[in-house]
Amino acid sequence: MTVLYFSSTGNSLYIAKRIGGKLLSIPECIHKEVFDIEDSEVGIIFPVYGLCVPPFIMDFIKNASIRTSYLFALATYGFFPGAVCGQLSGIRTKNGRSFDYINRLKMAENCVTFSDMAKSEGDSKKQQAQIDELLADLTDHRRFIRGDSPFKKLMTKNHLKNYEFETGVGIADMLTVSDDCRGCGTCVSLCPMKNISISDRAPVFGSNCISCGACLQNCPQNAINHKKEKSVARYRNPHISLEELKISS
Ligand SMILES: Cc1cc2nc3c(=O)[nH]c(=O)nc-3n(C[C@H](O)[C@H](O)[C@H](O)COP(=O)(O)O)c2cc1C
Ligand code: SF4
Ligand code: SF4
């Protein structure tokens, strides 16, 4: 089994680890131009962004040639997943493969402008029960596409009319760095887009940000803030370490 994942605060990586098999970071695959994947079972796990599949994950799926007899996709989300399952069901890989199994999992919210991270609980009984159900589905090679309710479809349609997901400069121009920064470079290793460099012992953000928040959530000094964050509290899935979230180049 090969599990491809993207995770800025560990929720999706935790699910990937629970599933097991060979774990491949999607940002690392993109940087190393690994787009040909072959295994008996292949899965893709990522967070919902703006009620949708994050654009760079969508691009990755469309550019990947995946040869497998069982292809599954899981979207983790914090509050409202929108019509992400329907969106996934319409995607094909480069070699024309569609998903055999699509599901979503409610995990802890990790968007600092939407919610106070002090309230994000990453290991509830409900989450664990949901993960157990999901693992049973995958073991059985269940063929299942989760449907989206008419409400979810309508909300997503309306949302997309007035909102375009922030890429390009993304949230980078909303980030500030405090004097607590020690110039350690951890944020550089966490950024999936290689959008951070260190200059004069402090991070400098470029214009290729996908708004994932990995840098500000995981800075060991908590030195990065978003101008509109709900609080200074930060979240990382309790089962995942900072080291595991770093992206090798
Ligand atoms: C930029 C951004 C947008 C998000 N948009 C949504 C959303 O539309 N709906 C939702 O329920 N959660 C949303 N979230 C929360 C994440 O999908 C959720 O916390 C996810 O489990 C994080 O996974 P990770 O720890 O693997 O990165 C968003 C998070 C970020 C950073
Ligand atoms: S991770 Fe934090 S302390 Fe380290 S360079 Fe980045 S902002 Fe500074
Ligand atoms: S700069 Fe920060 S928020 Fe933007 S893509 Fe990199 S890690 Fe994510």
Side-chain angles (χ1 to χ4, degrees), residues 6 8 169-172 175 187 190-196 205-206 208-216 224:
F6 167 61
S8 67
V169 173
I171 58 167
L175 302 179
C187 50
L190 289 163
C191 179
M193 305 312 283
K194 296 189 177 181
N195 191 47
I196 307 177
F205 300 95
N208 190 22
C209 172
I210 53 157
S211 308
C212 72
C215 52
L216 77 135
I224 307 179

Side-chain angles (χ1 to χ4, degrees), residues 5-242:
Y5 71 92
F6 167 61
S7 188
S8 67
T9 58
N11 289 343
S12 309
L13 176 54
Y14 173 56
I15 309 293
K17 284 178 72 180
R18 288 287 305 274
I19 294 167
K22 180 180 173 191
L23 303 192
L24 291 180
S25 147
I26 294 175
E28 283 177 22
C29 287
I30 294 171
H31 299 323
K32 293 172 183 164
E33 296 186 14
V34 174
F35 292 103
D36 284 326
I37 293 120
E38 185 165 7
D39 207 337
S40 51
E41 300 146 302
V42 177
I44 299 184
I45 308 186
F46 58 85
V48 173
Y49 282 178
L51 312 191
C52 293
V53 180
F56 88 104
I57 298 290
M58 178 82 97
D59 289 346
F60 175 77
I61 298 171
K62 288 181 179 168
N63 285 323
S65 287
I66 304 183
R67 280 172 294 280
T68 181
S69 53
Y70 187 64
L71 181 60
F72 62 91
L74 304 170
T76 72
Y77 70 99
F79 177 70
F80 186 72
V84 72
C85 292
Q87 194 191 10
L88 279 164
S89 69
I91 305 178
R92 299 289 176 271
T93 63
K94 194 176 175 185
N95 57 328
R97 190 69 165 79
S98 58
F99 290 101
D100 301 305
Y101 181 93
I102 296 175
N103 215 336
R104 53 177 183 249
L105 280 109
K106 186 168 176 10
M107 297 294 284
E109 177 61 52
N110 78 344
C111 185
V112 293
T113 54
F114 178 75
S115 145
D116 177 356
M117 293 297 103
K119 294 179 185 152
S120 283
E121 149 73 287
D123 193 24
S124 70
K125 277 188 182 162
K126 210 170 170 183
Q127 287 165 6
Q128 290 299 338
Q130 219 194 162
I131 295 168
D132 289 344
E133 268 179 41
L134 178 102
L135 294 179
D137 279 355
L138 298 182
T139 304
D140 293 347
H141 280 195
R142 184 175 175 210
R143 294 188 183 248
F144 169 72
I145 309 294
R146 170 142 336 252
D148 303 313
S149 64
F151 176 70
K152 285 192 172 71
K153 286 182 192 164
L154 185 67
M155 289 293 286
T156 305
K157 200 173 160 193
N158 287 343
H159 180 70
L160 291 176
K161 265 187 212 159
N162 311 311
Y163 173 87
E164 197 174 329
F165 184 72
E166 285 170 301
T167 52
V169 173
I171 58 167
D173 61 351
M174 297 297 281
L175 302 179
T176 58
V177 181
S178 77
D179 291 343
D180 292 335
C181 170
R182 294 192 179 159
C184 67
T186 300
C187 50
V188 174
S189 327
L190 289 163
C191 179
M193 305 312 283
K194 296 189 177 181
N195 191 47
I196 307 177
S197 54
I198 299 288
S199 176
D200 291 333
R201 293 182 57 77
V204 176
F205 300 95
S207 54
N208 190 22
C209 172
I210 53 157
S211 308
C212 72
C215 52
L216 77 135
Q217 294 278 20
N218 297 290
C219 164
Q221 303 302 317
N222 201 356
I224 307 179
N225 297 91
H226 189 295
K227 287 177 189 163
K228 293 189 176 172
E229 68 192 21
K230 296 283 183 201
S231 86
V232 294
R234 295 293 181 257
Y235 172 78
R236 182 162 67 242
N237 185 286
H239 299 281
I240 297 298
S241 69
L242 172 61

